[in-house]
Amino acid sequence: MAEKTSGKGWVGVDFKRKEDHRLTTGKGAFFGDISEPGMLYLVFVRAERAHAIIKNIDTSKAKALPGVVTVVTGADIKDEIRSMPQKVVVPALPARYPTHWPLAMEKVKFHGEAVAAVVARDKYTAEDAAELVEVTYEKDLPFVANAAMALAPGAPKVHDEWEDNQIFANVFTGGDTVEGQEENARKVDKIIKGAHAVIKETFRVHRCGMTPMEPRGALAKWDESDGLVAYVTTQRPHIDRLALADILDIPTEKVRVIAPRDQGGGFGVKAPFYREPILVCHLARQLGRPVKWQETRNEHLMVVSHERDQTHTVELAADKDGKFLALRTDGTCDCGDGCEGVYWGYLMSWLGGILFTNSYDLPNCDIRLRVAVTNKSALSPARSFGSYPTRFAIERAVDMMARKLGLDAGDVRRKNIIAELPHTTCTGAYYDSGDYLKVWDTLNEHLNVPKFRAEQKKALAEGRYIGIGFGTGVECSGMASEILVPMENQPGYGAASVRLDPRGKALVSFGDAAQGQGHETTISQVAAHEFGIHPDDIIVREGDTETTPFGSGTIGARTGSYIMSGVSTACRVLKDKMALIMAHDLALDAMPEDFEFVDGEIIYGKDSNIRKTFGEMAERIIMAPVNLPEGVEGGLEHTAFFEAPTRMMCFSIHAAFVEVTPETGQFKINRFVTCEDLGTLINPQIVEGQVQGGVVQGLSNAMFEQVVYDENGQCLTADFENYKLATAADMPNVEVTHSTTKCPHTPLGQRGLGEGIPGPVPGALSNAVCDALSPFGIEITELPLRPNMVWRLLQEAKQKQAAD
């Protein structure tokens, strides 16, 4: 521990990630590394049809294979496991929640739905046996292919017990009554009809998602005395624990869920309460032996790696100077079969609707959404939760309006970005603090747009087409309870326990689970900063429901905003106690705030010669709890529950520079620059990694990734040969800049960042391509954005110009 901070502390330091040594030397503890003596292996048999009635499932050949322990179908477990939904994983929102079990009952609803499960002594035998299970279908039912088809009158029903296929609908503006909503709609309609300029367009974002390095998995063991222990690749082990207890009818004190110390990414995909771990836990209890299931990449791409899939028709009205007057949008979302705990396929689009206006001051809006179930797998969360499609729509609409008015898109954008905070949007979203215009101006100073425009004009004269595009993003900085309780029926507070040992080392524990973000490093820095000790003297433990305080999970950038605040708060409580006892021991007339914790020492501020080492005071209080101040007990351990006084948001702007070749439609991203306001940076290196990764995910979603089904509902993209991901060679260098204002609601002034980074990407990229090709007047209205689409739009534009 040679390093010292000279009193500056550890916040804002590029401290090397503590996790990386074990990860880069093959010593990581991933789910695949976990095993138990006598462990059995489970493999699912998945439906080869998208929508069909099951006539019979013959498991006899599979059961006869040596090494097979059991084979179960839906009929076998229906009376042994409670069905979903269960209260703990049902939002307090007026939606339909389909009844379902871990295995299909009577009919399959999408290609890839689990219809049977094989448990065997090894995975190879289980896989061989799964191929011997014969599923006979009575008849194929019509494939409900998209939201428009699902919502059409008389459409085939995905869930037979429902009257139609609408799982959720909402009007986000005009209040809670139909009368208020319709009055608001009439007002918006009048404004639009009287506006100087109106653009109307339909924007579609395709189905794609997140592909973590390590897919999902569950390993469960049962003991009659201790109960159930389940290792689950999850972002929210405490929620999984409650749900498993309820659905399997096990007392909560006998359920322990552990998220592996290392998980190869999550990005939202590991946040829902899925069906598969339920069956793994049930069979472990039934068989009395540990059971393990690890998802294949084929399963992952077919079953859970899906999000986005929204269509929005947008009308935007403005005056002649480009000031926005009103916005109207009708949106639809294809959420798959909706059978997914916590999110149910629709919750992402709900939040996307709330945040539809993004960073723009739009007081007059009529925003509506309908979500339909279809014969596809349920949508799962992904970074830029529900907002990726809506931000594409609003950012494209902004540029289209600027082009219609003959104004610069940047000038129009700045004119309409929210100038004063706090701000409440037309949907009731509360933006707490920051300076959005400062972020915009800081980015533009870095870009030097006037210089680029001169270069663009020169390039056009040379027959080269270059362009610039912007996208903005207001994202949740954690989720306050007032949002998370109705949204997911769960609390939003961030809880953290801090315990000091007699040698002055600290153990920090919290209930959420990491997937590679760098929690160990940043949490260690926060605790070290508060205590004035080295980050290497901090041990961080997370994701074990038996040893950590309750946490709602790693979602919505909670760690940076809520968990770190909980850690900071707990440390400060312990510091006050240490300072109080030190003052008592030295007979000082002093308050806790009179002491500084710096470089391993506790120093009396009024006389720097009066000091003790941090370790000395820890040992005195823990090991010699005698002659303490009245009312003070020994020991140094505290659990803090942090709840911000209001909802918190983070803001970012992205800029893309492209060059397009009109003859082929090929485009190259020459430069990509971001500017964020996340308040105090805990570790700038980790922040940059989060931004870089989020931009890459956004670009990969926008240009490469796409879930494709054929006319019969067969998923055609369940492998990396057909589901294309961006590679390093495809990506530009991402320049990360900051324009920070301290958050007034957190102890260190920090905001959470990470959730929404991909959101501004498709707007920035599409706007840049349209800007480059402005002489042709093309407008991109759907994703994915690929050269063949650009080429097609150019041909249509050339034909139109020729006709004119």
Side-chain angles (χ1 to χ4, degrees), residues 85-321:
Q86 293 293 322
K87 183 179 179 181
V88 71
V89 290
V90 174
L93 292 171
R96 287 168 166 164
Y97 298 98
T99 301
H100 64 281
W101 283 263
L103 300 173
M105 302 285 177
E106 300 174 359
K107 77 170 185 176
V108 297
K109 302 180 186 70
F110 67 92
H111 178 213
E113 184 175 11
V115 296
V118 176
V119 179
R121 64 189 178 191
D122 60 76
K123 190 172 183 179
Y124 303 103
T125 300
E127 289 175 344
D128 289 344
E131 294 182 1
L132 297 176
V133 175
E134 297 177 357
V135 184
T136 305
Y137 297 96
E138 182 176 319
K139 65 175 180 178
D140 284 316
L141 301 171
F143 169 51
V144 182
N146 52 56
M149 180 179 176
L151 294 171
K157 290 189 289 186
V158 174
H159 298 293
D160 295 336
E161 65 274 22
W162 292 5
E163 294 179 0
D164 54 39
N165 291 317
Q166 182 171 288
I167 187 172
F168 177 75
N170 199 54
V171 179
F172 297 91
T173 47
D176 297 329
T177 66
V178 173
E179 294 77 14
Q181 292 164 1
E182 293 310 312
E183 181 181 352
N184 177 71
R186 289 190 291 271
K187 181 182 75 170
V188 170
D189 183 68
K190 182 177 180 181
I191 295 171
I192 289 175
K193 287 179 177 177
H196 175 80
V198 177
I199 65 105
K200 182 177 181 179
E201 190 56 77
T202 298
F203 301 95
R204 167 161 171 73
V205 173
H206 59 301
R207 179 173 282 234
C208 59
M210 298 287 112
T211 50
M213 180 175 69
E214 183 182 42
R216 300 175 301 149
L219 189 165
K221 60 181 180 178
W222 173 263
D223 180 271
E224 289 297 335
S225 298
D226 297 332
L228 178 71
V229 177
Y231 297 88
V232 184
T233 54
T234 177
Q235 294 173 218
R236 45 203 336 176
H238 284 271
I239 300 302
D240 283 10
R241 172 179 176 260
L242 294 176
L244 285 170
D246 289 350
I247 204 165
L248 296 176
D249 197 19
I250 303 172
T252 52
E253 72 271 16
K254 286 200 168 188
V255 179
R256 179 185 183 185
V257 174
I258 304 170
R261 183 181 184 185
D262 300 310
Q263 292 188 55
F267 313 116
V269 169
K270 295 174 182 174
F273 179 64
Y274 287 114
R275 290 182 270 192
E276 292 91 345
I278 299 171
L279 189 61
V280 171
C281 294
H282 168 68
L283 291 175
R285 178 173 60 169
Q286 189 178 73
L287 298 172
R289 292 178 63 181
V291 176
K292 183 177 186 177
W293 164 72
Q294 187 156 20
E295 186 177 50
T296 67
R297 183 62 64 182
N298 177 269
E299 288 179 295
H300 184 84
L301 290 171
M302 187 162 49
V303 176
V304 299
S305 189
H306 301 183
E307 223 262 71
R308 321 308 187 197
D309 214 346
Q310 296 179 39
T311 300
H312 295 273
T313 298
V314 176
E315 290 178 87
L316 180 62
D319 65 19
K320 61 183 178 60
D321 297 319

Side-chain angles (χ1 to χ4, degrees), residues 191 195-198 316-327 359-364 398 401-402 405 407-408 411-420 423 437:
I191 295 171
H196 175 80
V198 177
L316 180 62
D319 65 19
K320 61 183 178 60
D321 297 319
K323 182 65 178 175
F324 298 156
L325 303 175
L327 177 141
S359 62
Y360 300 107
D361 187 1
L362 271 160
N364 300 302
V398 170
M401 176 60 75
L405 291 170
L407 301 174
D408 181 81
D411 292 342
V412 171
R413 192 165 266 104
R414 193 186 191 286
K415 185 186 295 289
N416 289 284
I417 285 176
I418 295 166
E420 294 184 9
H423 175 90
L437 288 177

Side-chain angles (χ1 to χ4, degrees), residues 644-664:
T646 186
R647 288 170 273 175
M648 299 182 291
M649 309 298 282
C650 182
F651 180 60
S652 63
I653 302 177
H654 295 184
F657 294 78
V658 302
E659 180 165 358
V660 186
T661 305
E663 292 77 17
T664 62

Side-chain angles (χ1 to χ4, degrees), residues 669-672 692 695-696 699 703 728-734:
I669 305 171
N670 292 325
R671 191 182 180 195
F672 201 102
Q692 293 259 2
V695 170
V696 168
L699 289 172
M703 299 190 294
D730 301 311
M731 293 293 101
N733 176 52
V734 180

